[in-house]
Amino acid sequence: MPAFLHTERLVLRPFTEADADRLFALDNDPEVMRFINGGEPTSRETVEAKVLPRLLHEHPCTGTRGFWAAEEQTTGIFLGWFEFRPLDEQSPAVVELGYRLNQASWGKGYATEGSRALIDKGFTELGVERVTANTMAVNSRSRRVMEKSGLTFLRNFTGDWPDAIPGSEHGEVEYELTRAAWQQHR
C-alpha cells in the first residue's frame, strides 16, 4: 500500500498483517508500555486478535485508517506507530492523536514531527475541526510532545480503569488543538 504521509525523516504507511512481529516487539517493551498497561507483556494472540484488527480498521468518514506504521525514511526501520483516529465513525470533526514509538527513537523529535504532520494533514485535507490527545498526568514525555505539536492543556480527569497501574492515582490529562487555534499559529 502507498504511504499515507511523508515528513522530512518519516514515512507513515498503513499497517498490514505482516506487521504482527513488529507490533509484538513494541508492545512487549516494558518501558514503551509503562503508561499504557504498567509494562505488562502483550501476548501474540492479543496482538493478532485485538491490536492488529484495530490498526487495520478503515474509517468511512475520512476514507483512511486511524493508525499508521512509522518508519525512518532513509533506512525503512520500524519506529512504532501514530494514531489520528476519528472519535465518531460518521464524522472527521474530532480526532484523537496518539503515538507509540520504540525506545531507540525516543528523544529524536520523531513523535513531534509525525504529530505535526498528521495535524496539518487533518486540518488541510481531512475535515478535522479539533484534535484531542490524552495521557496519564505523570507521563511528562508524552505531554511535552503534545505541547510541542501545538496542543494545549484542557483538563485533568480520572478514568475508570479496570487495573490501576503506577501513576494512575494522579489521573489523566487531555490536550486539544482546534482548527481556529491552528490557523492562528501557522
Side-chain angles (χ1 to χ4, degrees):
M1 296 182 98
F4 178 70
L5 185 62
H6 289 269
T7 71
E8 184 179 331
R9 301 178 299 157
L10 300 173
V11 173
L12 302 187
R13 62 159 178 83
F15 275 98
T16 70
E17 298 278 342
D19 289 309
D21 288 341
R22 293 176 192 92
L23 292 166
F24 181 70
L26 184 67
D27 284 8
N28 277 283
D29 181 324
E31 273 305 300
V32 168
M33 299 302 287
R34 178 176 166 201
F35 297 110
I36 308 297
N37 69 5
E40 293 298 316
T42 303
S43 70
R44 176 166 282 293
E45 294 76 27
T46 298
V47 168
E48 292 174 358
K50 293 183 181 175
V51 175
L52 197 52
R54 183 172 177 236
L55 302 181
L56 296 173
H57 177 71
E58 294 265 344
H59 296 275
C61 64
T62 58
T64 67
R65 295 193 180 159
F67 294 87
W68 289 273
E71 296 176 342
E72 206 170 51
Q73 191 156 180
T74 55
T75 65
I77 293 173
F78 177 78
L79 303 176
W81 55 254
F82 284 88
E83 171 187 15
F84 202 71
R85 176 182 57 87
L87 295 183
D88 178 344
E89 284 289 307
Q90 305 310 312
S91 172
V94 181
V95 297
E96 182 172 10
L97 172 69
Y99 31 82
R100 185 175 302 170
L101 302 177
N102 61 40
Q103 283 191 67
S105 63
W106 292 0
K108 297 180 180 178
Y110 291 130
T112 301
E113 182 177 326
S115 295
R116 285 179 178 166
L118 284 166
I119 289 166
D120 289 349
K121 187 172 184 86
F123 286 136
T124 59
E125 298 176 29
L126 301 176
V128 172
E129 294 297 325
R130 179 175 174 260
V131 176
T132 182
N134 304 306
T135 190
M136 290 176 61
V138 296
N139 189 348
S140 59
R141 290 184 301 232
S142 186
R143 291 179 73 165
R144 184 69 185 127
V145 169
M146 292 173 193
E147 292 164 0
K148 288 170 65 177
S149 299
L151 283 75
T152 57
F153 176 79
L154 179 65
R155 67 184 178 115
N156 284 90
F157 67 98
T158 304
D160 186 19
W161 303 106
D163 299 315
I165 61 174
S168 62
E169 67 276 11
H170 300 287
E172 306 275 325
V173 291
E174 180 180 6
Y175 283 71
E176 74 169 350
L177 178 60
T178 63
R179 177 189 289 274
W182 173 80
Q183 287 173 326
Q184 283 183 328
H185 294 97
R186 284 192 82 198

